[in-house]
Amino acid sequence: MELLVTMLANLLITDGAAIGAGIAALTGLGAGIGMGIATGKAVEATARQPEAVGKIRTMLLLGLAFAETTAIYGLLVSILLIFVAA
Amino acid sequence: MVISSQLLAADFSELGDKVFPSDVVEICGFRINDSVISGFIVVAAILLVALILRLTVIRRWKTTPTPAQMFLEWLVSFFDKSADEMTENYSGLMGPYTFGAAAYICCGVLIEAFGLRPAIADIGACFALALCTFLFIHTFGFMKNKVRRFTHYLNPINIITDISVPVSMTFRLFGSILSGMIIMDMIYILIEGIWYIGLPLILPAVLTPVFTLFHAFIQSYVFASLTLTFVQEAIETPPRKQKKKKKKAEATIAA
């Protein structure tokens, strides 16, 4: 047990930044789910009202940009952890 | 087996220096990196192209358009039309501004294809663009609504919302361009050790459009449309309190 704790502590000291970078990359999960829902809804809306496709596309791209931002924040945090903290 | 040993032998120690460059040049007391130089190259190229187009295509403007004229008209009216739709009175300024910002972002990213560091992969360039948008939003907001705009700040969460706009625009642009650049740099390092015939020539040519070209167009479009959306939101006239009275009057009539 004590050995395990020591190992874990050593791991956190030496590779803590790398583990943090891996955890930060999990932001892609939420962004992916959000973008998937948005795209699905846009497809539904286009199927229901094909003449509104231009407006739907504009709004979809804006929404995707907002959803993508969270993923990019995670990416920046992990890049900073890899190249600056390590 | 050969491939795997080559992949393991790749040396990624240069990558960190490419992401956050440590080699800075000092010119006139300013410490600058490669991004600033390529930014100036992009500005010079855009100005030169604009001048050439002004002197050749636009001089020979015809009623039966040539392909070049059609393309120019489409490009300009694309931004002007969306500015007209969203920012009615201020479209004269917002159309050219969004077109200029989109052209700078697009060309600043595409300069990566010539082997230079992209101009937008520098947090200063992104912050400058976002700050321009921030100034436009609030100047037009105060010009349109005057003192009534301050009622918007009675809810203190709106202050944080407004401050977060330039920050989020900066990091959206910076992060997406930087990620594309890192992936391309990683590919360059990986294929350096591979000498199969043609592969180092073909692979970057195939992958550059995926990681650089789409980002350039999508990010410039997103920046332009986000700017227009925020300005539209700012110049919206806040609802007046007369509506409540009307409702009350209707209620009394109904009663």
Side-chain angles (χ1 to χ4, degrees), chain B residues 33 35-36 117-127 174 178:
Chain B
N33 59 22
S35 279
V36 182
R117 192 186 154 88
I120 309 295
D122 177 41
I123 205 157
C126 303
F127 189 63
F174 179 64
L178 190 75

Side-chain angles (χ1 to χ4, degrees), chain B residues 189-201:
Chain B
I189 291 172
L190 270 178
I191 61 169
E192 215 171 25
I194 303 171
W195 60 87
Y196 298 119
I197 301 162
L199 193 60
L201 276 176

Side-chain angles (χ1 to χ4, degrees), chain B residues 193-250:
Chain B
I194 303 171
W195 60 87
Y196 298 119
I197 301 162
L199 193 60
L201 276 176
I202 294 165
L203 203 60
V206 173
L207 292 175
T208 307
V210 179
F211 293 117
T212 305
L213 203 61
F214 289 150
H215 259 146
F217 291 120
I218 288 176
Q219 286 304 321
S220 50
Y221 175 69
V222 162
F223 187 87
S225 48
L226 274 184
T227 303
L228 288 177
T229 313
F230 283 127
V231 171
Q232 182 194 25
E233 206 178 336
I235 64 174
E236 235 169 37
T237 40
R240 295 188 180 177
K241 285 177 184 174
Q242 287 175 349
K243 279 181 184 172
K244 276 184 183 173
K245 281 180 187 172
K246 267 188 184 174
K247 270 183 188 171
K248 270 183 188 172
E250 277 170 16

Side-chain angles (χ1 to χ4, degrees), chain A residues 4-76:
Chain A
L4 194 71
V5 170
T6 325
M7 268 173 62
L8 206 64
N10 279 338
L11 190 73
L12 281 181
I13 289 165
T14 52
D15 297 330
I19 294 169
I23 293 169
L26 289 180
T27 45
L29 208 71
I33 293 170
M35 287 164 89
I37 291 172
T39 315
K41 294 280 182 191
V43 171
E44 265 177 31
T46 315
R48 208 168 285 161
Q49 209 174 349
E51 62 270 23
V53 67
K55 275 188 177 178
I56 291 169
R57 188 184 294 131
T58 317
M59 278 189 271
L60 172 69
L61 274 180
L62 273 183
L64 287 187
F66 276 116
E68 199 193 34
T69 312
T70 56
I72 288 171
Y73 287 165
L75 175 90
L76 273 179

Side-chain angles (χ1 to χ4, degrees), chain A residues 15-27 74-75 77-83:
Chain A
D15 297 330
I19 294 169
I23 293 169
L26 289 180
T27 45
L75 175 90
V77 168
S78 60
I79 286 173
L80 285 173
L81 279 172
I82 290 170
F83 291 113

